[in-house]
Amino acid sequence: LLNLGGEKKDLSVLFTDIKGFSTISEKLDPVRLVALLNEYLTAMSDIILEERGTIDKYEGDAIMCFFGAPVEVSEHAYRACLSAVRMRRAEKALNERLLADGTLDTPIMTRFGINSGEMVVGNMGTPKKMDYTVMGNAVNLASRLEGVNKQYGTWICASESAVSSAGDAFVARKLDRVRVVGIDTPVRIYEVIEERSRVDGTTMEGLKAFHEALGLFEAKKWDEAEKKFTEVLGVLPGDGPATTFVGRCKDYRTKPPPDSWDGVFSLVSK
């Protein structure tokens, strides 16, 4: 009874990928590797399904899923963000167990990319072999955002559309306006930190200082911005985005962008 074809819908899509999984896999024999991967994917997938997500596919250690189809879910952006922060918590518990029993000598660390917007959802492929999936620029952007985490030392990178649609339930840090590989339109990106009720005062203090520093940076006040980003590192030692922007301030002080610079940072790698 299934037919090929799709329809345009407003949905949210989530991509995940484990940092350096090839290094982890090299240390395990195939049987233990498959057992580890299945344990990880089970823990992550259970959360997606509990939040009414649709698991599109697994690609090795990576997961692609979306929210809002085939069963309509009005709060799909909220559920996508909630899935990501819950998966981060589940990962922490999984790591504690696997490190304690010697299965791993380094923890599993997953990166997430989230976007909300109009995309095509439906059965793609051939009449004999079809796949219920999503396609479109909004999907491609979510995939790119997963990789963008590498540039900022973050773990959950989401578009402005996803964060604004998710509402005030989450604490999110504003980052750059970026132009990602393969997509020309600039987009404001955010780091989703956690559910608001779970964020402590120290983290909130650091994020407040970060946003002040970002304002100085976008005003091209490199010295003041670097000083403020350094203050952030005093509150949040080792913070990835603050470290990234300190380095960028140093670079722009010696080689500033042109006067026509619009604040958009073009990412040259996926």
Side-chain angles (χ1 to χ4, degrees):
L1 298 177
L2 294 175
N3 295 304
L4 291 175
E7 61 178 325
K8 288 185 178 180
K9 294 191 72 172
D10 189 68
L11 307 172
S12 292
V13 62
L14 167 65
F15 284 82
T16 81
D17 194 39
I18 296 176
K19 175 186 176 183
F21 186 72
S22 58
T23 302
I24 296 173
S25 64
E26 288 173 356
K27 299 177 182 179
L28 299 174
D29 66 67
V31 174
R32 291 182 66 196
L33 177 62
V34 170
L36 169 64
L37 196 53
N38 286 339
E39 185 174 3
Y40 167 84
L41 292 175
T42 296
M44 300 298 107
S45 299
D46 284 350
I47 291 171
I48 295 168
L49 296 174
E50 286 168 10
E51 296 302 332
R52 301 177 68 186
T54 298
I55 296 172
D56 188 313
K57 60 178 67 73
Y58 302 109
E59 293 184 2
D61 60 288
I63 305 171
M64 173 185 173
C65 61
F66 52 93
F67 299 77
V71 178
E72 191 166 324
V73 179
S74 59
E75 71 280 17
H76 51 78
Y78 168 80
R79 290 187 177 274
C81 291
L82 183 58
S83 294
V85 298
R86 287 188 60 199
M87 289 158 80
R88 287 275 292 157
R89 288 181 226 144
E91 178 183 73
K92 181 179 179 181
L94 185 64
N95 279 327
E96 289 175 355
R97 186 170 77 256
L98 295 175
L99 290 168
D101 67 18
T103 299
L104 294 176
D105 57 10
T106 56
I108 291 171
M109 302 294 284
T110 305
R111 298 186 179 104
F112 302 82
I114 305 171
N115 186 35
S116 299
E118 188 178 74
M119 55 196 78
V120 177
V121 59
N123 292 308
M124 319 291 178
T126 77
K128 292 183 179 180
K129 173 62 178 176
M130 61 184 70
D131 182 25
Y132 186 75
T133 187
V134 287
M135 297 179 67
N137 278 339
V139 180
N140 297 337
L141 178 58
S143 176
R144 295 290 183 267
L145 292 182
E146 181 276 313
V148 166
N149 286 294
K150 302 173 189 176
Q151 310 286 331
Y152 295 91
T154 54
W155 300 105
I156 305 175
C157 185
S159 66
E160 185 169 29
S161 62
V163 170
S164 61
S165 297
D168 295 330
F170 304 96
V171 171
R173 180 203 322 231
K174 182 167 67 172
L175 297 172
D176 269 328
R177 288 177 65 228
V178 301
R179 187 178 288 109
V180 300
V181 178
I183 299 176
D184 292 333
T185 305
V187 60
R188 173 71 75 177
I189 59 173
Y190 289 76
E191 177 192 11
V192 177
I193 307 294
E194 230 319 347
E195 288 186 87
R196 189 170 297 276
S197 60
R198 291 174 171 264
V199 179
D200 59 40
T202 299
T203 301
M204 293 300 291
E205 178 187 351
L207 295 178
K208 181 177 182 293
F210 181 90
H211 285 137
E212 292 173 2
L214 185 63
L216 293 168
F217 177 84
E218 293 184 339
K220 302 181 184 180
K221 298 179 179 179
W222 316 125
D223 292 337
E224 296 173 57
E226 182 183 351
K227 182 179 179 181
K228 198 68 179 180
F229 283 124
T230 302
E231 289 180 19
V232 175
L233 291 171
V235 180
L236 304 174
D239 182 67
T243 301
T244 297
F245 277 97
V246 165
R248 207 177 286 174
C249 287
K250 294 180 185 296
D251 292 340
Y252 283 172
R253 187 185 301 111
T254 57
K255 189 178 180 181
D259 292 338
S260 60
W261 183 58
D262 58 3
V264 177
F265 187 71
S266 294
L267 300 172
V268 297
S269 61
K270 295 182 181 180

